Amino acid sequence: MKIERAVWLFVLTITGLRLALLGTTDLQFDEAHYWMWSQRLAPAYFSKGPGVAFAIRASTMIFGSNEFGVRFFSPLLGAGTSLLLFYLGRRMFNASAALGAVIGLNATPIFNLGAFLMTIDPLSLFFWVAAMFSFWCVVERSPKFSWHWPLTGVLIGLGFLCKYTNVFELLSIIVVLALIPKLRVEFRRPGFYLMLLIFAAFCVPPVRWNQERAWATVAHLKSRGGVNQGVGFHPLEFLSFIGEHFLVYSPLLFLGLAVAVIALWKRSQQQPRRLFLMWFGLPVFAFYALLSLNKAAAPNWDALAFPSFALLAVAFWQPHLQAKRIWRSLAGCALGLGLIMSMLALDSDMLRSVGIEIKRRDPSDGMRGWKSATLALENFRIQFERETQEKFFLIADERDRASEIAFYLHDKRSEGPGHPPCYLVESQDVVNQFSFWPRYDEFVERPPGTPNPEDQSYTEEGGINLFTGRSALYIQDAGRKRIPHNLQAGFSWVDRVARIEVRRFGRLVRAWDVYLCLHYRTLPL
């Protein structure tokens, strides 16, 4: 009970701290893009399921469309994941080992980022650990029927709607049932199939959405995995994949975890608890490790493997920590280094404020300058419109910039139902969610009473482009030297009219070029 109270105090304290800091930085571009999803709820989206959109919609309905409102659930999900890991670790080993896993988890830079930023990862990780806990309850009661079977199906399904990687949990369950002799009876009992049936029901919305859109998500995932351009053997890509793990999981923490998992591999085959944890981590990690032989996967893609690996590592190192002081000292150094790296990942300006210059970009750079740059852009547009007596719509070069502009604009003008406040350059390629939202280059049904232009013809019967003849402001990164061909071809005249720069500590954080695009004309079909 004493350790349990300590865990609750630790989790509540760190969660309160995270909540207090939510509004201190700009949204990271993925957060801004998911916020745009939340304003246009759908059964699925180009790259993900609908889970993150519904979560952000719920929190912003309560707290408003601001940084705190968008991020509200992330610290709570981090707290839930920590507590679930503690109670699972206590059931499987002991309270001390469970406490160590919770502390190690919350000292890891990538987890601290995930418990601050509202992306798919905190949702995915929470439901993964919850389903793992639920399935362990099934294992404890086997061969008796347990209502944790359908609960496991629900939790895996919810995780799948947040991140498709959560489907690997089904493989973990199948392998655990197959490798532990006394659990094989579950293949002949209804619980396992009830779980599969419930999970299948959760798959219906994203599958139907993709079926109606030429399986856009499948094509995207193939592209992200690097398999659409052929498969090869590139050892440096794999080394990059492993090296990034040392950075985002903290070098000493990841090294300790890797040593433990490798050391326990053979022994886990005869120990059900360790086998259970091994196979709730190995499939995800192995999958992305294999992909990385061709093209390095991002270090957060296999994050689902590490809660179970963390419990394995603590169970392995606990006797060593109890036996020798040197191991306890090293563990303290590992946790301290992880916390320092976590703080710097969230705000590297702490170093700059004491005169330490960082020349390379870092994770916290993605949370700076967006609001200031968008405010400068909006002020420029207002002044420019006063001078020209014309209204300009906005176009950006990339999804990230368009999403941040859309979030931070005070006047989120909508050119029509479902239209984003900032468009992307017209393209026939389906590259992200903007491709499925109304665009400035599309033809719509002719509004009643609209005259038919004599000098234009359209291939779509009765179709009309409502942006024809209008002008726009195009925003792109100042580092790009060329503007897109479709932009030059689509407007009668394009030229740069302004540059927006945002600096912190004398360092350039954001630099945007703004172009005036006069009199849109649709491209030939």
Side-chain angles (χ1 to χ4, degrees):
M1 290 297 293
K2 199 171 184 180
I3 292 178
E4 184 178 13
R5 286 195 297 270
V7 168
W8 274 91
L9 179 61
F10 170 75
V11 170
L12 290 174
T13 300
I14 199 168
T15 301
L17 180 61
R18 287 167 178 156
L19 286 169
L21 295 174
L22 291 185
T24 60
T25 69
D26 295 352
L27 290 188
Q28 191 252 13
F29 48 79
D30 276 338
E31 294 179 288
H33 193 53
Y34 297 148
W35 170 82
M36 293 191 73
W37 292 9
S38 75
Q39 303 299 297
R40 301 159 182 81
L41 295 178
Y45 297 88
F46 173 73
S47 58
K48 311 287 189 305
V52 67
F54 279 82
I56 292 176
R57 181 63 171 268
S59 60
T60 52
M61 286 177 66
I62 301 171
F63 300 106
S65 291
N66 50 58
E67 292 88 355
F68 184 89
V70 170
R71 292 168 170 164
F72 173 72
F73 281 120
S74 192
L76 301 186
L77 290 163
T81 301
S82 298
L83 292 173
L84 284 168
L85 192 66
F86 169 75
Y87 286 109
L88 176 60
R90 191 176 69 171
R91 289 176 80 121
M92 298 186 76
F93 300 109
N94 54 67
S96 296
L99 172 63
V102 171
I103 294 174
L105 182 72
N106 283 275
T108 305
I110 195 170
F111 181 79
N112 279 301
L113 277 172
F116 181 80
L117 304 177
M118 188 58 200
T119 64
I120 60 172
D121 291 318
L123 286 158
S124 170
L125 193 66
F126 171 80
F127 286 118
W128 179 279
V129 176
M132 185 166 62
F133 193 139
S134 178
F135 179 61
W136 180 251
C137 294
V138 170
V139 171
E140 288 182 327
R141 289 184 58 84
S142 183
K144 296 179 181 179
F145 177 79
S146 171
W147 286 106
H148 285 93
W149 268 123
L151 177 60
T152 302
V154 169
L155 293 170
I156 298 176
L158 289 171
F160 178 78
L161 292 180
C162 300
K163 188 174 183 179
Y164 295 137
T165 312
N166 282 58
V167 73
F168 276 101
E169 207 152 20
L170 293 177
L171 177 59
S172 297
I173 289 173
I174 291 171
V175 172
V176 168
L177 294 180
L179 292 183
I180 299 178
K182 76 166 192 172
L183 297 180
R184 291 172 190 161
V185 66
E186 296 295 338
F187 286 124
R188 302 193 299 271
R189 299 177 63 83
F192 173 73
Y193 300 98
L194 179 60
M195 177 201 69
L196 293 179
L197 183 64
I198 291 172
F199 170 76
F202 281 89
C203 296
V204 172
V207 168
R208 290 192 63 181
W209 185 91
N210 270 278
Q211 188 178 29
E212 294 168 358
R213 291 162 179 82
W215 303 102
T217 303
V218 176
H220 165 72
L221 294 177
K222 288 172 64 178
S223 174
R224 290 272 283 176
V227 298
N228 61 329
Q229 298 177 345
V231 178
F233 178 66
H234 307 104
L236 291 180
E237 291 289 318
F238 178 77
L239 292 177
S240 173
F241 170 72
I242 297 298
E244 288 186 4
H245 280 69
F246 276 94
L247 289 176
V248 302
Y249 290 91
S250 179
L252 293 178
L253 288 175
F254 184 73
L255 180 62
L257 185 145
V259 169
V261 171
I262 294 171
L264 289 174
W265 166 246
K266 285 188 177 181
R267 277 186 277 170
S268 68
Q269 309 308 307
Q270 288 79 40
Q271 299 172 328
R273 286 179 174 81
R274 288 169 174 77
L275 185 145
F276 178 97
L277 293 172
M278 183 70 72
W279 283 100
F280 266 86
L282 194 59
V284 178
F285 181 80
F287 175 77
Y288 286 111
L290 286 173
L291 278 183
S292 296
L293 292 172
N294 181 53
K295 179 183 177 182
N300 67 307
W301 292 1
D302 63 342
L304 299 178
F306 288 89
S308 61
F309 283 170
L311 286 176
L312 270 179
V314 172
F316 173 81
W317 287 109
Q318 191 176 34
H320 297 79
L321 296 174
Q322 293 171 346
K324 292 186 178 181
R325 185 175 179 180
I326 183 65
W327 292 115
R328 293 194 294 273
S329 299
L330 286 172
C333 291
L335 294 173
L337 179 60
L339 288 172
I340 292 172
M341 292 180 68
S342 297
M343 290 188 290
L344 294 178
L346 290 168
D347 187 8
S348 58
D349 280 349
M350 289 187 294
L351 290 179
R352 296 186 181 96
S353 64
V354 295
I356 301 175
E357 180 61 29
I358 303 175
K359 294 184 178 180
R360 296 186 64 183
R361 298 190 67 84
D362 58 81
S364 59
D365 275 344
M367 298 177 275
R368 298 193 188 104
W370 297 109
K371 184 188 295 184
S372 299
T374 303
L375 177 62
L377 170 66
E378 190 163 29
N379 289 337
F380 174 81
R381 179 169 71 165
I382 292 170
Q383 183 63 33
F384 204 59
E385 288 178 340
R386 286 174 183 167
E387 294 174 359
T388 60
Q389 297 297 306
E390 184 179 0
K391 294 291 185 182
F392 298 92
F393 63 97
L394 299 178
I395 307 171
D397 58 337
E398 295 178 352
R399 173 203 70 138
D400 303 345
R401 207 172 333 277
S403 299
E404 294 281 3
I405 291 171
F407 182 80
Y408 282 112
L409 282 172
H410 288 97
D411 182 11
K412 303 183 194 299
R413 299 179 190 171
S414 177
E415 303 290 342
H419 283 249
C422 182
Y423 300 93
L424 291 186
V425 179
E426 61 183 293
S427 172
Q428 296 303 311
D429 296 329
V430 178
V431 293
N432 53 50
Q433 189 60 36
F434 279 88
S435 301
F436 300 105
W437 291 334
R439 307 190 308 269
Y440 69 86
D441 62 312
E442 68 182 351
F443 292 92
V444 297
E445 184 178 351
R446 184 183 305 281
T450 303
N452 185 19
E454 296 180 359
D455 60 339
Q456 297 188 51
S457 60
Y458 302 94
T459 59
E460 299 182 25
E461 184 178 355
I464 185 172
N465 180 274
L466 299 178
F467 289 82
T468 299
R470 291 190 57 187
S471 299
L473 294 177
Y474 167 67
I475 307 97
Q476 74 173 19
D477 184 79
R480 296 183 62 175
K481 296 181 179 179
R482 296 182 179 180
I483 60 175
H485 169 74
N486 283 353
L487 201 72
Q488 293 177 311
F491 289 86
S492 62
W493 187 79
V494 179
D495 197 16
R496 197 181 81 172
V497 291
R499 171 166 288 190
I500 295 171
E501 293 185 350
V502 178
R503 296 179 180 272
R504 286 175 66 90
F505 293 94
R507 187 175 66 101
L508 189 63
V509 178
R510 298 274 166 248
W512 298 351
D513 282 333
V514 182
Y515 290 80
L516 173 61
C517 308
L518 290 178
H519 308 140
Y520 178 67
R521 58 199 177 194
T522 58
L523 295 177
L525 296 176

